[in-house]
């Protein structure tokens, strides 16, 4: 699929009505009004200046896109450049979800409220994708009349002038919406050509950003898997050998046997399906057992905590930079903020990172694509004295009020049914709560259904 | 370094005066937008003194337009004061001087906000 800006496609005038791009067929053009040579020269100079501005903007964009490999950073770079290039105050950019290519996820919007922009993308997606599948070109907002009335009204209310596909290697990555050009008339063939060039550049950048983030996340998962293996090995040499022998050894035999049967080749397709299902469940059970072992260690004080004086902000900044690519690749935004001049705290670095990881994993699990997760570090003054406060906040659906009192209980989940959407044993928050207590700190949660959740960890200063 | 980007902030009553200097480009534009948006969420007016802007890239202009639109949709107002030649030429080239409220000086901008 290749971009096709059709220069003879009708353009909308200032009122959004489609007008022909050239003279009507069969009619002679009207004679031009008398214009002085000076006025003509001035107009020509102005046109040249405008084209120079557009070319300069494209040159700037090609350099600016090398600044960032972060999806959200690339989106900002592109939208700001485009808005300045054409002179519009409204723009938004969506990427298509990797789980469902018909679902757009808002990356960035400017001049349009975030929630409204998300709704706009959802309302227009099926119509736009159908049009882009037929022909990858600009779709003017005036063409929204062929959609449902509510969609058409939303497009008009948000003053969108046009939508355009973002392509990479022939595939649609997402799409863009921009508002009308302020003070400069409609989008003509030259503007559309410049837009096509910009979109080509940003398509490549977004594709590269996704690949890069996926690579970093894979590396992180491998590193965590290796660390987890080392931790399990250490546990095995301690006092849980009976549990290992009674439960894990037979479970390991079961998993190995199933894998061998699958490698040998099952008798028929149905048998193969049963074997794969059994193997998946056995591996899930093994993962749950390993989580239980770690949780048990912490809650029974069978593991010593290394409480040392340290810089919480520096520790969590390094963690944030490592987690960012994977979370960005999952089309959620992760941000980090630390107040300046924070006093040192006393904490176990390894356990603090496990705790924050559990809170961030919880936020990722229970928020949809397009959500924002924030890690904030500050101080807290209370009757308990000065403490370091770490917030992990999301703008997801929030926690139902009747679940708040059991939030940190072991095996508690918002949806505890067997058919729940999110997996896991519900140990993450219970584990985090125990770790906070073992570090002489505290962990609290606040949430409003529909307005997100904030988990706050308080640590003593050193 | 004259091109080094910086913003100084001064509060006068219900209005914040931001003096911007240096290059307004892809690196500095998000920072300006973030500072400006925070002022809007504090429900204050904003005067942006752009006399010190030595260069404005398209992305810098894009961030100004985005900020102006955010304020336009809110109850608070923003005015641009003393645009440098680098800023003024681009604004007039794209006929944006009607959309962006521009004043020749900080005093004129504050006066316009009081009106």
């Amino acid at each position: 699929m290749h971009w096709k800006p059709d220069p003879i496609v009708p353009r909308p005038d200032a009122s959004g009505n489609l007008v022909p791009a050239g003279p009507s067929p069969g009619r002679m053009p009207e004679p031009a009004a008398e214009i002085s040579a000076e006025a003509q020269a001035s107009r020509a100079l102005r046109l040249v200046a405008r084209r120079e501005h557009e070319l300069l903007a494209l040159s700037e964009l090609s350099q600016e896109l090398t600044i960032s490999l972060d999806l959200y950073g690339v989106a900002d770079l592109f939208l700001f450049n485009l808005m300045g290039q054409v002179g519009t105050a409204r723009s938004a950019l969506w990427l298509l979800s990797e789980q469902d290519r018909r679902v757009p996820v808002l990356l960035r919007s400017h001049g349009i409220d975030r929630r409204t922009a998300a709704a706009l993308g959802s309302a227009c997606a099926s119509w736009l994708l159908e049009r882009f599948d037929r022909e990858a070109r600009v779709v003017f907002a005036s063409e929204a009349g062929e959609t449902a009335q509510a969609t058409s009204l939303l497009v008009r209310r948000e003053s969108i002038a046009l939508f355009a596909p973002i392509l990479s290697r022939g595939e649609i990555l997402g799409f863009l919406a921009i508002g009308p050009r302020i003070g400069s008339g409609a989008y003509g063939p030259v503007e559309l050509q410049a837009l096509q060039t910009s979109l080509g550049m940003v398509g490549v950048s977004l594709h590269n950003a996704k690949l890069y983030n996926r690579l970093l996340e894979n590396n992180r998962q491998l590193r965590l898997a290796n660390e987890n293996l080392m931790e399990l090995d250490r546990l095995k040499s301690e006092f849980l050998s009976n549990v290992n022998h009674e439960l894990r050894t037979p479970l390991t035999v079961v998993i190995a046997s199933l894998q061998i049967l699958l490698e040998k080749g099952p008798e028929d397709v149905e048998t193969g399906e049963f074997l794969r299902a059994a193997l998946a469940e056995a591996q899930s059970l093994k993962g749950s057992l390993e989580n239980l072992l770690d949780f048990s260690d912490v809650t029974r004080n069978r593991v010593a905590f290394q409480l040392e004086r340290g810089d919480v902000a520096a520790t969590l900044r390094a963690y944030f930079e490592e987690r960012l690519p994977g979370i960005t690749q999952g089309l959620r935004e992760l941000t980090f903020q630390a107040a300046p001049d924070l006093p040192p705290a006393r904490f176990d670095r390894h356990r603090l990172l496990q705790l924050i990881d559990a809170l961030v994993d919880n936020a990722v699990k229970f928020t949809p694509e397009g959500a924002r997760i924030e890690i904030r570090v500050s101080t807290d003054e209370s009757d308990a004295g000065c403490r370091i406060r770490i917030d992990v906040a999301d703008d997801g659906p929030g926690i139902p009020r009747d679940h708040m009192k059991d939030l940190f209980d072991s095996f508690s989940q918002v949806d505890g049914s067997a058919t729940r959407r999110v997996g896991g044993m519900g140990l993450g928050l219970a584990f985090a709560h125990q770790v906070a207590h073992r570090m002489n700190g505290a962990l609290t949660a606040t949430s409003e259904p529909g307005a997100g959740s904030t988990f706050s960890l308080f640590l003593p200063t050193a | 370094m004259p091109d080094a980007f910086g913003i100084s902030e001064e509060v006068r009553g219900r209005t914040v005066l931001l003096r911007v200097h240096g290059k307004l480009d892809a690196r500095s534009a998000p920072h300006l937008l973030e500072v400006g948006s925070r002022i809007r969420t504090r429900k204050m007016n904003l005067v942006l003194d752009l006399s010190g802007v030595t260069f404005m890239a398209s992305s810098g202009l894009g961030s100004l337009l985005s900020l102006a639109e955010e304020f336009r949709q809110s109850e608070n107002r923003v005015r641009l004061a003393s645009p440098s030649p680098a800023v003024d030429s681009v604004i007039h080239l794209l006929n944006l001087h009607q959309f962006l409220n521009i004043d020749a000086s900080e005093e004129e901008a504050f006066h316009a906000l009081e009106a």
Side-chain angles (χ1 to χ4, degrees):
Chain A
M1 181 183 292
H2 297 285
W3 228 92
K4 291 174 70 174
D6 187 347
I8 61 172
V9 168
R11 292 177 285 151
D13 61 18
S15 306
N17 302 314
L18 287 176
V19 296
S24 302
R27 287 185 59 192
M28 292 296 293
E30 299 288 340
E34 287 289 327
I35 304 173
S36 70
E38 197 178 318
Q40 281 187 14
S42 173
R43 187 184 291 179
L45 277 173
R46 191 176 174 82
L47 191 61
V48 167
R50 290 291 296 269
R51 296 295 168 252
E52 190 181 37
H53 171 78
E54 284 156 13
L55 286 173
L56 191 58
L58 289 175
S59 170
E60 287 166 2
L61 181 63
S62 73
Q63 293 171 44
E64 289 162 1
L65 287 176
T66 63
I67 292 175
S68 177
L69 271 170
D70 169 63
L71 278 176
Y72 295 91
V74 168
D76 269 337
L77 287 169
F78 169 64
L79 290 180
F80 284 144
N81 178 283
L82 184 64
M83 291 166 73
Q85 184 192 134
V86 305
T88 183
R90 289 167 163 257
S91 66
L93 193 153
W94 298 263
L95 282 189
L96 300 184
S97 164
E98 301 220 334
Q99 276 80 47
D100 185 344
R101 307 289 294 164
R102 294 160 300 173
V103 174
V105 178
L106 177 71
L107 272 194
R108 277 288 193 255
S109 64
H110 294 293
I112 308 173
D113 170 73
R114 257 187 96 209
R115 286 185 199 272
T116 305
L120 178 68
S122 298
C124 296
S126 59
W127 160 60
L128 285 173
L129 292 176
E130 190 204 351
R131 293 294 299 272
F132 294 150
D133 278 342
R134 270 191 270 147
E135 193 177 354
R137 66 161 181 84
V138 159
V139 174
F140 290 100
S142 52
E143 298 171 66
E146 63 198 42
T147 67
Q149 193 181 21
T151 302
S152 178
L153 281 172
L154 183 60
V155 169
R156 189 180 284 270
R157 192 189 78 191
E158 294 308 315
S159 299
I160 300 301
L162 60 85
F163 298 89
I166 300 171
L167 303 174
S168 174
R169 305 201 302 180
E171 274 194 40
I172 298 178
L173 283 186
F175 54 89
L176 159 82
I178 50 176
R181 300 175 70 201
I182 301 163
S184 298
Y187 290 94
V190 176
E191 288 79 33
L192 294 181
Q193 184 66 46
L195 175 62
Q196 176 195 356
T197 306
S198 299
L199 286 167
M201 284 194 262
V202 82
V204 171
S205 285
L206 289 172
H207 179 76
N208 289 344
K210 287 175 74 173
L211 285 178
Y212 178 70
N213 289 327
R214 192 178 301 155
L215 178 65
L216 290 180
E217 173 64 5
N218 287 346
N219 285 347
R220 190 189 77 90
Q221 296 285 358
L222 281 172
R223 183 184 62 74
L224 282 178
N226 192 42
E227 284 178 5
N228 281 341
L229 284 173
M230 289 170 66
E231 174 74 1
L232 287 171
D233 189 60
R234 187 184 67 78
L235 286 172
K236 273 164 67 176
S237 66
E238 288 184 5
F239 50 86
L240 289 173
S241 61
N242 283 338
V243 174
N244 286 343
H245 179 73
E246 293 298 327
L247 290 178
R248 292 187 69 217
T249 303
L251 194 51
T252 303
V253 172
V254 167
I255 290 172
S257 302
L258 289 169
Q259 285 171 332
I260 288 168
L261 284 172
L262 279 168
E263 278 169 19
K264 276 190 167 181
E267 291 173 1
D268 51 55
V269 172
E270 194 180 37
T271 303
E273 284 175 8
F274 284 131
L275 286 174
R276 274 185 284 276
L279 177 60
E281 291 303 318
Q283 286 171 331
S284 173
L285 182 58
K286 186 178 177 205
S288 297
L289 180 59
E290 285 162 3
N291 286 341
L292 188 58
L293 290 173
D294 198 25
F295 177 70
S296 174
D297 279 345
V298 170
T299 54
R300 294 183 189 185
N301 288 345
R302 288 183 173 178
V303 175
F305 272 45
Q306 306 292 333
L307 297 178
E308 291 172 344
R309 194 170 187 266
D311 183 337
V312 170
T315 302
L316 292 185
R317 186 181 301 279
Y319 166 79
F320 156 75
E321 285 168 1
E322 192 185 327
R323 268 321 293 260
L324 180 63
I327 289 182
T328 302
Q329 198 248 333
L331 292 184
R332 289 168 184 79
E333 187 178 3
L334 181 67
T335 66
F336 176 80
Q337 261 183 329
D341 302 321
L342 289 168
R346 190 164 296 279
F347 58 98
D348 180 311
R349 186 180 179 282
H350 172 62
R351 295 298 180 182
L352 172 64
L353 291 177
Q354 278 189 315
L355 190 161
I356 299 299
D357 215 33
L359 296 181
V360 172
D361 279 348
N362 191 67
V364 170
K365 256 193 218 171
F366 290 101
T367 58
E369 287 177 331
R372 180 181 286 166
I373 303 166
E374 300 178 353
I375 303 174
R376 303 188 291 256
V377 188
S378 58
T379 53
D380 175 80
E381 299 281 353
S382 69
D383 294 340
C386 178
R387 299 181 293 179
I388 297 293
R389 174 175 176 158
I390 304 156
D391 292 318
V392 177
D394 66 70
D395 61 358
I399 304 167
R401 284 203 178 86
D402 52 358
H403 280 93
M404 289 298 290
K405 59 180 178 11
D406 301 324
L407 202 60
F408 297 116
D409 290 350
S410 310
F411 308 106
S412 163
Q413 283 228 50
V414 169
D415 178 358
S417 68
T419 56
R420 61 176 180 267
R421 184 181 62 84
V422 176
M425 290 171 60
L427 284 178
L429 292 182
F431 176 81
H433 195 250
Q434 287 294 329
V435 168
H437 176 71
R438 287 289 306 275
M439 293 196 292
N440 302 315
L443 182 64
T444 64
T446 54
S447 183
E448 269 304 318
S453 307
T454 300
F455 288 82
S456 302
L457 169 67
F458 298 89
L459 291 176
T461 51
Chain B
M1 204 185 311
D3 281 348
F5 179 78
I7 304 178
S8 65
E9 186 173 322
E10 183 186 321
V11 179
R12 296 185 193 174
R14 296 297 309 157
T15 301
V16 177
L17 167 64
L18 292 182
R19 293 193 179 98
V20 184
H21 58 85
K23 278 188 183 178
L24 188 51
D25 58 12
R27 289 183 198 270
S28 52
H31 181 55
L32 174 63
L33 185 60
E34 186 190 347
V35 172
S37 295
R38 248 189 282 131
I39 291 168
R40 179 183 56 80
T41 54
R42 281 157 54 189
K43 300 195 191 303
M44 301 185 77
N45 296 323
L46 171 61
V47 170
L48 268 176
D49 182 328
L50 301 174
S51 56
V53 174
T54 55
F55 170 75
M56 186 164 74
S58 291
S59 42
L61 176 59
S63 66
L64 279 183
L65 291 171
S66 177
L67 189 59
E69 179 66 12
E70 277 186 29
F71 270 83
R72 194 186 68 81
Q73 295 175 22
S74 74
E75 294 168 359
N76 301 97
R77 293 149 70 193
V78 59
R79 298 195 73 89
L80 309 189
S82 316
S84 66
V87 174
D88 199 55
S89 58
V90 177
I91 287 176
H92 279 85
L93 179 65
L94 297 186
N95 289 329
L96 298 172
H97 43 282
Q98 309 250 350
F99 176 76
L100 297 169
N101 300 313
I102 301 174
D103 300 294
S105 67
E106 289 178 7
E107 288 68 34
E108 279 189 30
F110 276 97
H111 187 71
L113 284 174
E114 285 162 19

